Amino acid sequence: VVRLMLQEGRTRPPLRIVGIADSSGGISTEGDFELPLEELLAWKTSGCSIRSFKMGGKGASALNYHASTISMVAGAGKPGNILLDGTPVDLKTGGVGLECCRFAASHGIHLVMANKAPLVLAYGELMAAAAREPRCRIEFSASVCGGLPVVNVGRRDLGCARLQSVRGIFNSTSNYILSRMARGEDPAVALRAAQEVGIAEADPSLDLEGYDTANKLVIICNSVLGFPATLSDVALTGIGGVTAVDMQKAALEGEVYRLLATATLVTAHAGTPRYTLSVQPERVKADSFFGTCTDSDMCVVFRSDEFETISMKTDEKGVFPTAAAMLRDCFTIIREEGCSHC
Amino acid sequence: VVRLMLQEGRTRPPLRIVGIADSSGGISTEGDFELPLEELLAWKTSGCSIRSFKMGGKGASALNYHASTISMVAGAGKPGNILLDGTPVDLKTGGVGLECCRFAASHGIHLVMANKAPLVLAYGELMAAAAREPRCRIEFSASVCGGLPVVNVGRRDLGCARLQSVRGIFNSTSNYILSRMARGEDPAVALRAAQEVGIAEADPSLDLEGYDTANKLVIICNSVLGFPATLSDVALTGIGGVTAVDMQKAALEGEVYRLLATATLVTAHAGTPRYTLSVQPERVKADSFFGTCTDSDMCVVFRSDEFETISMKTDEKGVFPTAAAMLRDCFTIIREEGCSHC
């Protein structure tokens, strides 16, 4: 995010960054002035930790991890500020991300999230807490499919439609591995390649066992479909069982494997939609929309009576689209709600 | 729009419709109560004109066309109301649509437009007029590619990106004809089929000569790219010159013809992007994203450094997606600005 904000010629959101943290801990300014972003970025890029960064003349507090970010929000963070959560996904406890999000949502601090765990574990709780604050906005377009605005289009542009189904390829690592396996590559080699490209999650089981895909489906259910699903509602099968032989058989019939997430409308009585949810490897025609979604591509298909079929696809190889999605959410909040650090 | 609003089980925007017009003229209620929509729809569906509709006990004014809609806006229409413009495209004068939009934008009446002409002819003027009103919002997601939220995604979700190019198939009729010609059909027969399906513009030259596509490109330029282009900036070639022989030659190399709109960034000095614009039939690989966009499909591809490549596609056969897009824009205005008839 910081690198993108500093790139020359880019439209920069009118934000001052007053606190920042990595797994070593964080720092925040004692006043309202901005952290020296160029120096911080150079420091971090050279392999040093945020907590060991020393500011020149101006005051900065060094903070411990866990408590750190919480304190940072409580200290430098004030109502109307924005907290950006990009901490790693922790599906067991929600981790420091959930702690911070809980604090922010209950103190009128806007939230922009790339981290999926707090949304998967506590969507209703966070939204209810934010709704009690006079002005607290939670945006999370970066949490589903990087830069592809799946959640935004679903919530805003298709908000007046009754969606019959949502189906998609939401995890680029597993899609990358399936695509390479179809070309005869060993799955382990393909995973290493995905890690080298930087698209794989820190914990590879999230990608391979389908949890990352299921997380995104749960977020879509809660935010777009109005169906308060949890992970346990998803019939989940990862890509581990798909063998080279399976792939060869599929290829003979012009088909390929894709790890598909599906939500299908079951009942639609007034106000209470219910969907069945699955994440599983499925065979699709190689020349279909899903079949042509290869390598690190991700995609979604929304079906409704009102809008018929709307399909979206992103072909992104780097880490910037997800960062850009967090900036987009900051812009949305600033435009629609205002921010005390603009 | 009315049919969609009345469909059972649909989420209906909290709006009362107090005036309505067709080419015969219009009617509006004298109070603030809603027109009897079910009866009006049955009346209109049976082939009768709006102007000849007689309301039961409640008062309604019959209005002349041209003056009609203007008067309706001036009379029943009040600041905070929403005017929906779905009049036919008139690129020469802007027609009654432009008159109404001018009136609305300068009187604090929100605008939701499916009609492209006022945007193509007077984008800057309308936006400037609306900006002078304390609360006047202009939304027009229905004007580009029916239900596909091209303008919304471009303006809101990619608003923080510097777009390198926007490319797409924006006209379903010409795409339908090219797709059928590729299967050996006569262009005139294909056009009649498109008219029977209801996707063709009232004036077929808008579709075939590329004006409809160029209109949409101009709207994207003004609203998404921040480049105040007009139709004369578009190098325009329709599909009339593409012959059956051209198509057969292309097919031998695995290619098909598509009528593609393209905006390409030329200079990007701070604040002043400039794009070259073209609409022309181009040969693309049959299995590419554009090539697989067949029949009545429409699509767009946004390229930027920040978000890499984002592609969107709609497969819509009926008239409801465009109507649903107008309702979506009403919801957006109600949510973000409020409306005096909610």
Side-chain angles (χ1 to χ4, degrees):
Chain A
V1 169
V2 170
R3 198 185 298 274
L4 203 58
M5 281 180 70
L6 294 177
Q7 271 179 14
E8 214 179 338
R10 300 272 166 266
T11 308
R12 186 181 163 168
L15 285 172
R16 275 170 291 140
I17 296 191
V18 296
I20 198 162
D22 64 12
S23 60
S24 73
I27 56 169
S28 77
T29 59
E30 279 157 7
D32 259 1
F33 59 88
E34 183 163 66
L35 287 166
L37 296 181
E38 289 85 353
E39 293 165 47
L40 255 170
L41 187 61
W43 183 258
K44 181 74 182 160
T45 308
S46 72
C48 301
S49 70
I50 292 280
R51 197 167 176 234
S52 62
F53 181 77
K54 296 278 175 284
M55 301 242 314
K58 295 177 177 173
S61 307
L63 307 157
N64 294 319
Y65 195 53
H66 282 271
S68 83
T69 6
I70 296 284
S71 319
M72 191 169 61
V73 171
K78 292 181 299 201
N81 274 15
I82 304 177
L83 175 72
L84 286 82
D85 176 14
T87 55
V89 171
D90 176 344
L91 284 178
K92 291 199 183 70
T93 68
V96 67
L98 180 53
E99 277 184 77
C100 291
C101 291
R102 277 195 171 120
F103 185 91
S106 57
H107 288 77
I109 297 160
H110 303 305
L111 262 172
V112 168
M113 300 157 79
N115 179 13
K116 289 165 275 290
L119 294 163
V120 170
L121 298 175
Y123 185 88
E125 178 202 326
L126 291 173
M127 291 298 156
R132 283 191 294 268
E133 293 295 310
R135 237 183 36 171
C136 181
R137 179 76 167 256
I138 304 184
E139 292 289 324
F140 45 90
S141 77
S143 69
V144 176
C145 297
L148 196 69
V150 174
V151 168
N152 289 356
V153 166
R155 288 208 293 177
R156 296 181 316 199
D157 296 306
L158 308 179
C160 62
R162 168 60 49 93
L163 291 165
Q164 298 296 325
S165 70
V166 180
R167 227 161 122 73
I169 299 170
F170 298 157
N171 178 267
S172 57
T173 302
S174 57
N175 205 43
Y176 188 84
I177 291 170
L178 289 175
S179 301
R180 292 199 153 213
M181 282 175 70
R183 300 198 282 270
E185 198 167 285
D186 182 77
V189 174
L191 173 61
R192 269 201 304 282
Q195 285 167 332
E196 277 159 25
V197 181
I199 56 172
E201 290 280 337
D203 173 359
S205 72
L206 286 173
D207 294 320
L208 307 185
E209 294 171 18
Y211 285 103
D212 179 66
T213 303
N215 285 343
K216 290 165 179 168
L217 187 61
V218 166
I219 293 171
I220 289 170
C221 276
N222 281 276
S223 61
V224 175
L225 302 177
F227 175 52
T230 64
L231 268 183
S232 62
D233 296 313
V234 183
L236 177 62
T237 311
I239 65 170
V242 182
T243 66
V245 174
D246 294 331
M247 293 215 161
Q248 286 158 13
K249 278 187 195 159
L252 289 177
E253 294 168 41
E255 295 191 331
V256 291
Y257 279 88
R258 293 288 177 260
L259 185 63
L260 282 170
T262 306
T264 309
L265 185 65
V266 189
T267 51
H269 300 301
T272 56
R274 198 165 66 80
Y275 291 82
T276 52
L277 310 177
S278 70
V279 170
Q280 60 188 21
E282 295 184 29
R283 276 172 62 162
V284 297
K285 287 283 167 204
D287 59 0
S288 66
F289 181 72
F290 291 131
T292 55
C293 186
T294 55
D295 298 310
S296 58
D297 296 355
M298 292 180 285
C299 68
V300 68
V301 176
F302 295 103
R303 284 183 206 277
S304 65
D305 292 342
E306 294 87 344
F307 290 99
E308 304 190 25
T309 305
I310 286 184
S311 311
M312 299 167 60
K313 176 177 165 180
T314 178
D315 173 8
E316 58 186 56
K317 288 163 187 70
V319 294
F320 282 121
T322 299
M326 295 187 84
L327 284 186
R328 146 174 94 206
D329 287 352
C330 290
F331 271 108
T332 300
I333 290 172
I334 292 166
R335 192 175 56 237
E336 297 179 13
E337 309 284 342
C339 164
S340 65
H341 271 105
C342 297
Chain B
V1 169
V2 170
R3 198 185 299 274
L4 204 57
M5 280 180 70
L6 294 177
Q7 272 179 12
E8 214 180 338
R10 300 274 165 264
T11 309
R12 185 180 163 169
L15 284 171
R16 273 170 293 139
I17 296 191
V18 296
I20 197 161
D22 64 13
S23 60
S24 72
I27 55 170
S28 78
T29 58
E30 281 157 6
D32 259 2
F33 59 86
E34 183 163 65
L35 288 166
L37 296 181
E38 288 85 354
E39 293 165 46
L40 256 170
L41 188 60
W43 184 257
K44 180 75 182 159
T45 306
S46 72
C48 301
S49 69
I50 292 282
R51 197 165 176 236
S52 62
F53 181 78
K54 297 277 176 285
M55 301 243 314
K58 294 178 177 174
S61 307
L63 306 158
N64 294 318
Y65 194 51
H66 282 270
S68 84
T69 5
I70 296 283
S71 319
M72 192 168 61
V73 171
K78 291 180 298 197
N81 273 15
I82 304 178
L83 174 71
L84 286 81
D85 177 14
T87 55
V89 171
D90 176 345
L91 284 178
K92 290 199 184 69
T93 67
V96 66
L98 180 54
E99 276 186 76
C100 291
C101 291
R102 277 196 171 118
F103 184 91
S106 57
H107 288 77
I109 297 160
H110 304 304
L111 262 171
V112 167
M113 300 157 81
N115 179 13
K116 289 165 275 290
L119 295 162
V120 170
L121 298 175
Y123 185 88
E125 178 202 326
L126 291 173
M127 291 298 157
R132 283 191 294 269
E133 293 295 312
R135 235 185 37 171
C136 180
R137 180 76 167 257
I138 304 184
E139 292 289 324
F140 44 91
S141 78
S143 69
V144 176
C145 296
L148 196 68
V150 174
V151 168
N152 289 357
V153 166
R155 289 208 293 178
R156 298 180 316 199
D157 296 308
L158 308 178
C160 62
R162 168 59 50 92
L163 291 165
Q164 298 296 323
S165 71
V166 180
R167 226 162 125 71
I169 299 170
F170 298 157
N171 178 267
S172 58
T173 303
S174 56
N175 204 43
Y176 188 83
I177 292 171
L178 289 175
S179 300
R180 291 198 154 214
M181 282 175 71
R183 298 198 284 269
E185 198 167 285
D186 182 77
V189 174
L191 173 60
R192 269 202 303 281
Q195 285 167 333
E196 278 160 24
V197 180
I199 58 173
E201 290 279 338
D203 173 0
S205 72
L206 286 173
D207 294 321
L208 308 184
E209 294 170 16
Y211 284 103
D212 179 66
T213 304
N215 285 344
K216 290 165 178 170
L217 187 61
V218 166
I219 293 171
I220 289 171
C221 275
N222 281 276
S223 62
V224 175
L225 301 177
F227 175 51
T230 65
L231 269 184
S232 62
D233 295 315
V234 184
L236 177 61
T237 310
I239 64 169
V242 182
T243 66
V245 174
D246 293 333
M247 293 216 160
Q248 285 157 15
K249 279 187 193 157
L252 289 176
E253 293 168 41
E255 295 191 333
V256 291
Y257 279 88
R258 292 289 176 260
L259 184 64
L260 282 170
T262 307
T264 310
L265 185 66
V266 189
T267 52
H269 300 301
T272 58
R274 199 164 65 79
Y275 290 82
T276 53
L277 310 177
S278 70
V279 170
Q280 59 188 23
E282 295 184 29
R283 276 173 60 163
V284 298
K285 286 282 168 206
D287 60 359
S288 66
F289 181 71
F290 290 130
T292 55
C293 187
T294 56
D295 298 310
S296 58
D297 295 356
M298 292 179 285
C299 68
V300 67
V301 176
F302 295 103
R303 284 184 206 278
S304 66
D305 291 343
E306 295 87 344
F307 289 100
E308 303 189 27
T309 305
I310 286 184
S311 311
M312 298 166 62
K313 175 178 166 179
T314 176
D315 173 7
E316 58 188 58
K317 287 161 188 72
V319 294
F320 282 121
T322 300
M326 295 187 85
L327 284 186
R328 147 174 91 205
D329 287 352
C330 290
F331 271 109
T332 301
I333 290 173
I334 293 166
R335 192 175 55 236
E336 297 181 13
E337 310 284 341
C339 165
S340 65
H341 271 106
C342 297

